[in-house]
């Protein structure tokens, strides 16, 4: 019997890549593989292990992956999610999150919520305790407080300084003096997506983020949009995304990826096809002279039978996965070679 690793390396991945180049002929389904499997963006390396252990211990898939993403949400050093996430243009941290629970066919979401470090749990509370799916802004916060969540200042000293640096450097002629240093403003995006399938084949997904740094107040990205930031169908699989949300929303990328898997495509092919659709839907102002997008984005796909993959526009990104071989990072398939630095 080939191992999962042998199979993925030699058969599905190769078939996926070549079929993507051949405009995506369907790839034969892999034989049954290991379950449970937890799949996440690379920043979920600690979280996939926590989620996996909880699932093996009998926890519900969604509860397990929310525990996984809570690690990043509560980590003040992670500037892309929850506490310590980079703020909007006015220096206010506004968070987005959504989740889906496959077995019960339910979803919950919050957008632009302030002062609550774990929006993934608030999204789940919207799902569990209301007849709605999405709450945003002040209403989402008031709901969270009513549900017993504690308000806290999410702007850390580090992120406040980064915001001031960004603000001061916007215009050298305005009244804000530049910081007397050359600390780079390193990144402007970041998110954690996590998906899991348990031994029975039940599936869930969650995505949580502080969104695009320095965004216009009130901006909501793809993460809280069901079908864009994450999506799960208990009969097929789950998918999620990190990277430029504005590009993802236009193709409903998580939904589309699950739909490609429903058509029988392997996760590797599904994510590549979604990336191709996204490129086709990219407006000219965001294309480089070679016709490729001037941003990057990733899609993560987990099939009900435990197959998984992640895809990125530009080679170099990794994703996190945990199964019976433990937690590890693996390489995303990509549409294009790595961008020169
Ligand atoms: N997708 C997130 C957003 O657009 C950001 C990211 O993942 O980098 O809000």
């Amino acid at each position: 019997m080939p191992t999962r690793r042998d199979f993925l390396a030699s058969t599905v991945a190769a078939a996926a890549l070549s079929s993507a180049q051949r405009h995506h002929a369907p790839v034969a389904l892999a034989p049954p593989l290991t379950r449970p499997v937890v799949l996440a963006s690379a920043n979920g390396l600690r979280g996939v292990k926590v989620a996996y252990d909880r699932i093996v211990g009998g926890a519900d898939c969604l509860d397990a992956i929310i525990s996984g993403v809570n690690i990043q949400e509560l980590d003040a050093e992670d500037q892309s999610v929850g506490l310590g996430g980079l703020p909007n243009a006015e220096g206010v941290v506004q968070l987005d999150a959504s989740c889906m629970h496959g077995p019960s066919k339910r979803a919950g979401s919050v957008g632009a919520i302030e002062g609550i470090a774990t929006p993934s749990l608030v999204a789940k509370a919207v799902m569990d305790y209301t007849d709605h799916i999405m709450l945003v802004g002040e209403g989402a916060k008031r709901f969270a407080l009513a549900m017993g969540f504690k308000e806290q200042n999410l702007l850390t000293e580090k992120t406040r300084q980064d915001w001031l640096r960004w603000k001061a450097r916007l215009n050298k002629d305005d009244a804000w003096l530049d910081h007397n240093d050359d600390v780079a403003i390193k990144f402007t995006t970041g998110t954690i997506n996590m998906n899991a399938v348990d031994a029975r084949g039940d599936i869930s997904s969650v995505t949580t983020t502080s969104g695009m740094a320095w965004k216009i107040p009130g901006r909501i990205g793809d993460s809280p949009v069901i079908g864009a930031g994450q999506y799960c169908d208990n009969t097929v699989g789950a998918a999620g995304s990190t990277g430029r949300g504005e590009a993802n929303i236009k193709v409903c990328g998580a939904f589309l990826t699950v739909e490609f898997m429903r058509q029988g495509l392997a996760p590797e092919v599904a994510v590549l096809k979604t990336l191709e659709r996204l490129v086709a839907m990219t407006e000219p102002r965001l294309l480089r002279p070679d016709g490729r997008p001037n941003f990057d984005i990733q899609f993560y796909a987990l099939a009900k039978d435990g197959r998984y993959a992640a895809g990125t526009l530009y080679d170099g990104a990794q994703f996190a996965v945990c199964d019976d071989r433990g937690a590890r990072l693996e390489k995303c398939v990509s549409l294009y070679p790595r961008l020169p630095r």
Side-chain angles (χ1 to χ4, degrees):
M1 276 288 287
T3 64
R4 176 194 185 95
R5 178 193 296 264
D6 294 340
F7 184 83
L8 284 178
S10 64
T11 312
V12 173
L17 286 169
S18 59
S19 86
Q21 282 147 7
R22 291 198 319 266
H23 295 287
H24 319 302
V27 169
L29 279 182
L33 299 167
T34 301
R35 289 193 309 222
V37 178
V38 183
L39 171 73
S41 43
N43 53 353
L45 184 58
R46 288 181 294 172
V48 290
K49 172 80 177 116
V50 167
Y52 180 84
D53 288 346
R54 285 205 61 194
I55 291 170
V56 168
D60 175 80
C61 258
L62 182 57
D63 289 331
I65 55 177
I66 288 181
S67 320
V69 301
N70 286 162
I71 296 171
Q72 297 314 117
E73 289 178 324
L74 296 171
D75 180 351
E77 295 303 309
D78 185 330
Q79 292 190 295
S80 69
V81 190
L83 175 67
L86 290 171
N88 65 21
E90 291 173 356
V92 177
V93 181
Q94 289 187 327
L95 304 176
D96 296 336
S98 65
C99 63
M100 280 187 89
H101 186 246
S104 62
K105 306 176 183 179
R106 293 177 304 145
S109 162
V110 287
I113 188 171
E114 297 176 12
I116 310 288
T118 53
S120 62
L121 282 169
V122 186
K124 181 168 186 293
V126 172
M127 182 186 94
D128 284 339
Y129 297 104
T130 80
D131 186 38
H132 304 318
I133 286 188
M134 190 169 202
L135 295 179
V136 302
E138 187 53 34
K141 179 172 168 181
R142 286 213 298 271
F143 167 77
L145 295 176
M147 296 306 298
F149 287 85
K150 294 282 172 274
E151 184 170 3
Q152 70 184 102
N153 178 13
L154 302 178
L155 193 68
T156 59
E157 184 52 21
K158 185 162 180 273
T159 49
R160 194 180 67 79
Q161 290 292 343
D162 282 345
W163 168 69
L164 275 178
R165 246 180 223 108
W166 168 79
K167 192 172 169 59
R169 287 179 196 172
L170 277 180
N171 179 352
K172 67 178 175 41
D173 298 322
D174 68 12
W176 290 89
L177 301 181
D178 284 5
H179 275 46
N180 199 13
D181 62 34
D182 40 60
V183 176
I185 302 185
K186 287 190 200 104
F187 63 91
T188 56
T189 59
T191 294
I192 179 166
N193 163 249
M194 197 173 292
N195 313 281
V197 58
D198 67 16
R200 286 188 306 272
D202 281 337
I203 308 166
S204 288
S205 49
V206 63
T207 297
T208 176
T209 189
S210 52
M212 235 177 224
W214 336 126
K215 59 197 172 187
I216 295 173
R219 178 264 188 187
I220 286 178
D222 57 328
S223 305
V225 177
I226 311 289
Q230 55 77 42
Y231 190 75
C232 130
D233 179 324
N234 216 47
T235 66
V236 177
S241 181
T242 58
R244 186 180 162 81
E246 278 73 2
N248 181 20
I249 290 170
K250 289 187 297 176
V251 296
C252 305
F255 179 78
L256 186 62
T257 302
V258 171
E259 288 308 295
F260 284 141
M261 290 195 286
R262 189 194 305 279
Q263 292 166 17
L265 300 185
E268 289 87 346
V269 183
V271 292
L272 287 170
K273 284 195 61 152
T274 299
L275 286 165
E276 285 196 344
R277 178 77 62 84
L278 180 142
V279 172
M281 283 292 286
T282 299
E283 56 260 50
R285 74 183 171 90
L286 297 174
L287 295 176
R288 308 182 322 162
D290 63 6
R292 296 173 178 177
N294 66 7
F295 56 84
D296 210 348
I297 187 161
Q298 296 75 41
F299 289 98
Y300 310 88
L302 177 61
K304 187 173 177 71
D305 63 8
R307 289 170 301 149
Y308 61 85
T312 183
L313 280 179
Y314 292 99
D315 184 37
Q318 294 182 303
F319 63 94
V321 63
C322 189
D323 55 19
D324 59 358
R325 293 192 291 123
R328 59 198 179 273
L329 291 175
E330 292 190 12
K331 197 167 178 296
C332 296
V333 294
S334 59
L335 268 194
Y336 307 129
R338 187 183 293 252
L339 277 176
R341 289 194 181 262

